[in-house]
Amino acid sequence: SSGINAEYGDVCFVLGSCPDGTQSDGAGGCKDCPADYVRGADWGDVECFYCGDGFTTHDGVTCRPKGCEAGKYINYDSCDLGSSSHCLTTCEACPKGQYSTGNAYFCTHCPTGQTTATTGTTSERDCIDDNASDVVTCEAGQELSGTSCVDCPENSYGLDGKTCTSCPDGSTSPSGSTSADDCVEPTPEPCAEGEGRGTDGVCSTCPANTY
């Protein structure tokens, strides 16, 4: 087939001689790239590129993650299709007014007349009427769930009425806590009669002549 001869090192080949997603078969023809490999017609490479672990391709040119976590989508705009080598798309948070349920390549738009309070939402239940997110204001110790305010769960706290933050490891707090100061080390159970607690926190029998 026709094309422009180019030389890379000691190797000469024809640019654009094989279409996207294919490579030379070594006998004057073209063959499909293997699964999870890519090659663009204008890259000038005889061999296809491996996308890498955790990535695949839908068009033979663009590498993409094998699905994004809930609340995210694959941003194809992050990949320069004119690049001289293969490129990787990235998972990014769904914009307001859209959501994804996980392992998805794209975000789903909320029904007409609805939006979401934040980016990165994970369910259609997060869709609320337009402007509702501006009307609903939660108190400290709460967060917005759809169109309702709910208390922060145990072992977390909420400062701004928007999101709840987990307590540090090993500390607890009651539901609806409003500050990190509410996260405290759990109070140990009292020792049995005739026992005392050592510096290691373990109960043991009191020595003779002590109580």
Side-chain angles (χ1 to χ4, degrees):
S1 57
S2 62
I4 301 175
N5 290 320
E7 181 174 348
Y8 287 75
D10 297 328
V11 180
C12 292
F13 49 85
V14 179
L15 296 180
S17 57
C18 287
D20 289 347
T22 67
Q23 63 184 7
S24 171
D25 62 6
C30 300
K31 62 181 181 180
D32 291 338
C33 292
D36 302 334
Y37 281 72
V38 292
R39 178 185 172 276
D42 59 348
W43 293 357
D45 298 298
V46 175
E47 299 293 330
C48 298
F49 286 96
Y50 176 52
C51 282
D53 293 344
F55 289 84
T56 186
T57 180
H58 71 295
D59 58 6
V61 180
T62 308
C63 291
R64 69 181 187 187
K66 293 183 178 179
C68 297
E69 63 187 87
K72 294 186 177 182
Y73 75 108
I74 295 175
N75 180 11
Y76 290 107
D77 292 338
S78 66
C79 185
D80 178 10
L81 296 181
S83 173
S84 60
S85 64
H86 72 294
C87 51
L88 302 179
T89 55
T90 57
C91 288
E92 297 185 10
C94 291
K96 291 182 69 173
Q98 301 179 39
Y99 64 92
S100 73
T101 56
N103 213 22
Y105 299 127
F106 56 88
C107 300
T108 301
H109 286 271
C110 288
T112 302
Q114 292 190 328
T115 185
T116 58
T118 63
T119 61
T121 52
T122 61
S123 169
E124 187 176 355
R125 294 192 301 271
D126 296 318
C127 295
I128 56 179
D129 291 339
D130 280 337
N131 301 322
S133 59
D134 297 328
V135 175
V136 178
T137 302
C138 298
E139 299 178 354
Q142 296 181 325
E143 63 181 350
L144 187 65
S145 177
T147 58
S148 302
C149 295
V150 296
D151 286 344
C152 292
E154 292 182 354
N155 307 327
S156 69
Y157 61 94
L159 296 173
D160 54 10
K162 296 180 180 179
T163 58
C164 299
T165 303
S166 297
C167 288
D169 290 345
S171 61
T172 64
S173 69
S175 61
S177 293
T178 61
S179 168
D181 293 337
D182 295 326
C183 298
V184 296
E185 297 290 334
T187 302
E189 293 292 329
C191 295
E193 186 175 352
E195 291 184 337
R197 192 180 307 278
T199 56
D200 58 0
V202 178
C203 293
S204 59
T205 302
C206 293
N209 302 323
T210 65
Y211 61 93

